Amino acid sequence: MDHDEARTRILDAAEKLFYERGIQSVGMDELRTAAGVSLKRLYQCFPAKHDLVEAYLRRRDTRWRAALAEYVDAHADDPAARPLAVFDWLGDWFAEDGFRGCAFINAYGELGATSDRVGCVAREHKEALLGYVAGLVRAVPVAEPEALARQLVLLIDGAIAGAALMGEPSAARQARTAAAALMEAAGSAAGPGVAHSET
């Protein structure tokens, strides 16, 4: 097994265990066993647990945002429908087996007070999500697109928390309804002749 294969297997095991059970409850020896690598190889790939945690979060960020963008691209041609498609994707994600909420908020809740690196990765993830949503919103003629994007991201985070903590299966749909209302209001504020989002 070469270095890259070992690293991938360790990250796969870390993503499953950290997301399911939390970071602090999973030890390096358990990770080594789950990944099928020696403890020596584990520490060659990740000299300390915080290195593995950061790598896990950065890879999850890349994959999560790519899956979201792929869904939106495949399911919404109309620019006004694209921000709302984000909430449709959330609904599918919430229904998946093993859904445990936002990995970044979870990690920050566990380690943010003691790990600047975890806090940094979590903030970068949320900033990247905001940047993506802002890009979708700027393609629609609405008033104050940056403010609207921030409101939509708050709805996204609220829906994720509601689905994870309360087991609320309709959280994505409820957030979508609120998002459509916000977009409608922002479109009206932009002036006559603006194409409004579909609800």
Side-chain angles (χ1 to χ4, degrees):
M1 183 189 311
D2 63 19
H3 179 86
D4 289 343
E5 181 184 354
R7 192 175 191 278
T8 297
R9 290 173 67 166
I10 294 163
L11 283 170
D12 288 344
E15 181 154 11
K16 180 177 187 301
L17 293 172
F18 288 164
Y19 187 64
E20 282 181 356
R21 291 173 33 206
I23 295 166
Q24 296 184 91
S25 68
V26 179
M28 294 294 269
D29 193 57
E30 183 177 3
L31 280 165
R32 174 199 67 77
T33 300
V37 301
S38 68
L39 201 58
K40 179 180 179 181
R41 177 53 67 91
L42 173 58
Y43 282 109
Q44 286 174 342
C45 293
F46 301 98
K49 188 175 182 180
H50 61 254
D51 296 318
L52 175 56
V53 171
E54 182 178 1
Y56 145 67
L57 289 172
R58 290 196 182 282
R59 187 177 75 157
R60 185 172 180 90
D61 166 64
T62 299
R63 290 179 167 188
W64 190 92
R65 289 189 295 110
L68 170 58
E70 182 179 352
Y71 180 96
V72 171
D73 288 345
H75 291 84
D77 294 327
D78 178 9
R82 289 169 66 81
L84 298 181
V86 171
F87 296 90
D88 298 330
W89 180 79
L90 290 177
D92 288 351
W93 178 40
F94 297 168
E96 290 179 3
D97 290 338
F99 169 72
R100 296 290 183 274
C102 176
F104 304 90
I105 292 175
N106 295 348
Y108 186 80
E110 278 196 86
L111 301 171
T114 58
S115 172
D116 290 340
R117 291 166 70 176
V118 166
C120 180
V121 174
R123 283 188 294 273
E124 286 175 2
H125 169 74
K126 294 303 180 183
E127 288 166 0
L129 174 60
L130 175 60
Y132 174 70
V133 173
L136 298 179
V137 171
R138 282 193 293 268
V140 185
V142 295
E144 299 185 31
E146 301 303 321
L148 177 59
R150 290 185 179 279
Q151 292 168 346
L152 296 183
V153 169
L154 286 174
L155 286 173
I156 291 167
D157 283 333
I160 295 170
L165 298 176
M166 306 301 291
E168 180 53 66
S170 63
R173 186 173 68 253
Q174 292 171 0
R176 188 187 194 280
T177 299
L182 287 171
M183 291 184 64
E184 185 76 15
S188 297
V194 173
H196 298 307
S197 57
E198 297 179 1
T199 56

